[in-house]
Amino acid sequence: MRVAIIVFPGSNCDRDMMVAVEALTGRRPALIWHKQSYLDPVDLAIIPGGFSFGDYLRCGALAAHAPVMNALHDHAARGGAILGVCNGFQILLESGLLPGFLAQNKTLKFVCKQTNLSVEGNAICELTKSLDINERLHIPVAHNEGNYFADAETLDSLESNGQVVLRYAKDETGVSDNPNGSANDIAGICAANGRILGMMPHPERAMGAGHKSADGKKLLQSIFEAIIT
Amino acid sequence: MQVTIIIEKKPGVLDPQAQAINQALSSLGFDDLQDVKMGKQITVSIDTDDEERARYRAAKMCEALLANTVIETYTIEINEPS
Amino acid sequence: MQVTIIIEKKPGVLDPQAQAINQALSSLGFDDLQDVKMGKQITVSIDTDDEERARYRAAKMCEALLANTVIETYTIEINEPS
Amino acid sequence: MSVQSEMQFENAAAMGLSKEEWERVCAHLGRIPNLCELGIFSAMWSEHCSYKSSKKWLKTLPTDGAQVIQGPGENAGVVDIGDGTAVVFKIESHNHPSFIEPYQGAATGVGGILRDVFTMGARPVALLNALRFGQIDHEKTPHLVSGVTAGIGGYGNCIGIPTVGGEVEFDASYNGNILVNAMAVGIAHSDRIFYSAASGAGNPVIYVGAKTGRDGIHGATMASAEFSDETESKRPTVQVGDPFTGKLLMEACLELMAADAVVAIQDMGAAGLTSSSVEMAAKGGLGMEIDLDLVPVRESEMSAYEIMLSESQERMLMVIDPSQAEIARQIFNKWDLDFMPIGQVTDSDRLILLKEGEIACDIPLAPLVDDAPEYDRPHLKPELLHVIPAAEIRQNIQISDALKKLIGSEDLCSRRWIYEQYDSHVMADTIIGPGGDAALVRVHGTNKALALTVDCTPRYVEADPYTGGKQAVAEAYRNIICVGATPLAVTNNLNFGNPEKPEIMTQLVQSVTGMKDACTQLSTPVVSGNVSLYNETDGKAIKPCPVIGMVGVIEDWQTALGIAIPPETELFIVGQDENINTGWLSNTVYAKIIAGRIDAENQGAPPPVDLMSELQTGQLILDCYKNQLINAVHDISDGGMLVALCEMMLAGNIGAEITLPDNIDTHAWCFGENQSSYIIATSKADEFTKNAAQANIPYLRIGRSISQQELKISNGDIISLKELKQCYDTGLSNRL
Ligand SMILES: Nc1ncnc2c1ncn2[C@@H]1O[C@H](COP(=O)(O)OP(=O)(O)O)[C@@H](O)[C@H]1O
Ligand SMILES: [Mg+2]
């Protein structure tokens, strides 16, 4: 399995993601510096969390124009698999690889907490297809801009195409655990081809072994399984 | 030539900050106002004397980076030399 | 009456955001520009026809909430009715 | 020097120098200083840089131990944790800037302390903060709390270092002078620590990082001056933090250090280029020559004075090995940072600055550092408050109602509203984050973890500074023990009022003495620290606040316990005898919140601290850890036993029933703040009690966990967990 992690100067979850990937695949992923304009063939490219360029202007805006992004677009055009987590999700949106945008949290505050996620039953995402849809995933978030928004038309088509992959789950009383106010409680979406996944929660921080949960491991595992087969 | 670029959210696009300011202002007793809008103002000096060219360059910058044209609009004004 | 408030960093106050944008623009090939500055533009409708009053209210809002007067300055413009 | 100086004593006085200090400056130079030179002297001799009022007392602190690699005197302290690894840490205050501009003040405070840590060659792995605000209903408090919290998060979250712990208090004495102390902790190879002493005459001096602007000119002197309405309106010196550049600088420096090119390195913190150049040269016993025209600036026409005194953030000064200069330059290019040779090390013992080809400054270095003034300021015999008997303090209120009031008060309620704004998980090594006792952060890739805490109880310090100083150390110690770690060493931040007032100096002297005794007895030497004086508003001093930051280590993080009570366990108090027979209500949160004793005079004496008992009880807890006799631990501190128990229940989301003893005042027993005690939950009660008895440590079984979601007290009081949670969780959000 060949995995590449794209590293921007302000990425700060690149190492965490590298450790997580290596723990699961037994192979250390390649770290690709943003100034590099090519990407050797890989099975999965990951854009990790952090503050790529300080999150100045708009989160992910400056990163979306880094040299490495052309190569990533080519990878995507070939049907390559991509995972964007947190700032990585923001970058995927800014670069048009996924639809919509992430506004500031409705509280206007950074939020770092454990969340409860539900895996959507009708999701077309190839990368998560082995996840059990009845299961709740406990994976933490840490972001200031995770408030997913898209116009009504886009939202409708995401929903009807099954591109919504993860939602902040509702508890017994029907109240959602939504930490940021995102539309339809969206926590993660995928591209129409089911090969690009963007999500706010950090799976690399839920790997068991000292973390509060091991559900991030489950999620990453499902991605690797999907890619191998 | 100095150019001022204003970037605003398109109507209907979620703007939690504007919403919050709206609310905060009314809770501070500013209840005589409506419809707060927030935008970004970016001023740049462009190395030309040609107004057309300055406008053109500024628009390019907006398309390339400064505005996310899916959710934002931009307007460009040429500043009078002071 | 519609009022436009412009909030800018005071001269000399570091503006990391403007710096980062400047750099990004030049690495995108916009090398004919200098001196990028960032500010906020806020437009508000104030429920009055009296220009003086609108200005006064806007200034109050800036002091109370909109501007961080330690590091920012604000200017208020009355918009022509369009 | 040819430049004619216009300076007079008045100029020096405006920069905070006394008449006598002015005369000493002139004597050292053999002439009148120019503006730049005077600026340099006044900055180096400011309280902030020279510690002139506190040095005499700081010297009394224990700083040695087998574990200590580097004690005070460098950018941060360094402590060995075995296997070739060292922990590097320090705490620093940013009180005045945070009051003026809370977001930027707090953010730059975090940035500054991080630079102190990575300057030593350590990768920062954790941040903590100790905050003091005014009364929660004071008009400025919500704004200050929001701004400071956002600023701490704004910097730490962006640079990617988890903020894992801290403390927050509200008290009227901080209405006009908040305290923002930030602590940073890093990990380094114990044989690859970097120091600030320059060496090798002729070696280039390199400026790296952000450009110099007119930010915070003379911040060091400002941090050493009292506040008044006038300073607030002047607002001359706000520095803006740029965590993104901070991140680039951190990564570039760590990369450069790995490449073996650095001879000496020092961050530009307080007094910027002045203190960094002076300290590097003086520590190396050498001189330095700098051409100020080469310093990267972001504004035009900056004078020598401004360049030397600027406190622009995200800058470093280095002496490098000339043969490695090219590699160094490439690394900084990669990170898009300025890298500029601005001068060289000389063997002259002088600091020489050039500006536009002229000598702008020529001063001997030794007097700047070695002959900095040191004062033995007058202090008094402390007037200790008397103990107020429990019977006078106790109020006629149901225990359950008192408990709800206490855990819902801003003093004791959950700090979640604040710490959820901090990324506490980034780096993926946080085992225990905010909300428990000490935080626990794994040493990456190993079984070891660091236990980290900051503590102080200013209420106690005010009433009895010696005991208060001791207590801060003891409480930190207890917090480290709670997670099963061995306490190693401390850093401290001494926040006081104007030391020229004998009663303030008394607080300083007494609490440092208490700290000394505790650190000695508990074998936790002081390896770094910071002093912040003149914390006064219009002549009124803050409550004295000598904060302790303590670091401990646990060999296997998997053995660590939290405070959550597991099902089917029995509950014990273990520790001081007094806990079982009497309860200490004097100067407690109960006295403040329930009995309304707010003024120092009617708060009474704080609980005594018996260091021997602290040590022995701590040892017992660690032994129980080793033998796996306990399932949860929490120390008893502010609010007393019942508050601690309640926190343990809420963390475990579990009910408990407890039995009140009948031989003592039940309020004093529930809410007394007796020291050196813990609550433990155990499923091996017999073995636990056997161990405690053998160690001769008093213990008392107080109850057990139950399956109902409630707290049941033997007097018939019952409160649902839900109600407790509601009080606890909304205490801050309701008021801010
Ligand atoms: N209260 C204290 N106890 C022990 N050491 C202290 C104390 N205050 C300061 N120090 C030490 O004095 C040295 C200078 O500190 P400081 O001037 O605060 O550093 P910086 O220049 O990074 O701000 C540091 O090594 C610091 O650890
Ligand atoms: Mg330092």
Side-chain angles (χ1 to χ4, degrees), chain A residues 57-58 61-62 65 93-94 100-101 103-106 108 147-149 151 181, chain B residues 7 9 12-14 16-17 20-21 40 42 63-68 71-72:
Chain A
L57 191 62
R58 296 179 307 277
L62 274 46
H65 295 94
L93 296 172
E94 269 291 333
F101 101 108
Q104 196 177 13
N105 300 344
K106 67 169 189 289
L108 303 189
N147 189 350
Y148 184 80
F149 175 89
D151 57 44
Chain B
I7 297 169
K9 290 257 167 80
V13 171
L14 179 66
Q17 216 184 344
I21 286 181
K40 281 179 235 175
I42 302 172
E63 295 286 338
L65 179 74
L66 299 179
N68 177 343
I71 50 166
E72 294 171 327

Side-chain angles (χ1 to χ4, degrees), chain D residues 74-76 90 92 112 115-117 119 266-270 275 279:
Chain D
E74 277 289 338
N75 285 303
K90 182 168 185 253
E92 179 98 49
R115 281 195 299 284
D116 275 336
V117 165
T119 304
Q266 166 81 27
D267 70 302
M268 294 192 218
S275 66
E279 279 169 24

Side-chain angles (χ1 to χ4, degrees), chain B residues 20-70:
Chain B
I21 286 181
N22 228 329
Q23 251 177 28
L25 284 174
S26 53
S27 78
L28 282 173
F30 293 100
D31 35 21
D32 54 350
L33 49 89
Q34 308 148 11
D35 206 23
V36 177
K37 284 206 199 76
M38 298 266 305
K40 281 179 235 175
Q41 176 189 274
I42 302 172
T43 53
V44 200
S45 293
I46 300 179
D47 207 4
T48 177
D49 289 333
D50 178 353
E51 196 178 309
E52 270 310 289
R53 167 139 187 95
R55 260 184 211 287
Y56 174 78
R57 295 293 286 168
K60 279 268 180 214
M61 284 175 217
C62 288
E63 295 286 338
L65 179 74
L66 299 179
N68 177 343
T69 50
V70 178

Side-chain angles (χ1 to χ4, degrees), chain D residues 48-49 51 58 61 71-76 90 92 116 266-267 270 279 492-494 526-531:
Chain D
H48 190 84
C49 292
Y51 295 91
L58 295 180
L61 291 169
E74 277 289 338
N75 285 303
K90 182 168 185 253
E92 179 98 49
D116 275 336
Q266 166 81 27
D267 70 302
E279 279 169 24
N492 66 70
N493 205 135
L494 305 176
V526 178
V527 296
S528 62
N530 178 251
V531 179

Side-chain angles (χ1 to χ4, degrees), chain D residues 440-486:
Chain D
L440 203 62
V441 177
R442 184 161 50 193
V443 177
H444 189 70
T446 73
N447 289 334
K448 278 194 185 134
L450 301 173
L452 310 167
T453 183
V454 288
D455 292 285
C456 179
T457 313
R459 201 171 69 241
Y460 296 167
V461 185
E462 183 176 49
D464 176 349
Y466 172 77
T467 299
K470 229 163 64 168
Q471 193 274 342
V473 181
E475 185 175 343
Y477 182 86
R478 232 173 284 145
N479 281 324
I480 301 287
I481 295 279
C482 277
V483 298
T486 306

Side-chain angles (χ1 to χ4, degrees), chain A residues 12-13 16-17 48-50 85-88 110 115 117 138-143 199-207 211 215-217 219-220, chain D residues 423 425-426:
Chain A
N12 61 31
C13 304
D16 307 354
M17 188 58 88
V85 171
C86 197
N87 193 227
F110 191 95
T115 60
L117 302 169
H138 300 271
I139 303 182
V141 294
H143 59 249
M199 58 187 285
M200 287 316 293
H202 286 270
E204 78 280 9
R205 301 186 189 183
M207 299 292 292
H211 296 164
D215 292 349
K217 193 169 171 177
L219 189 136
L220 291 177
Chain D
D423 190 337
H425 309 140
V426 61

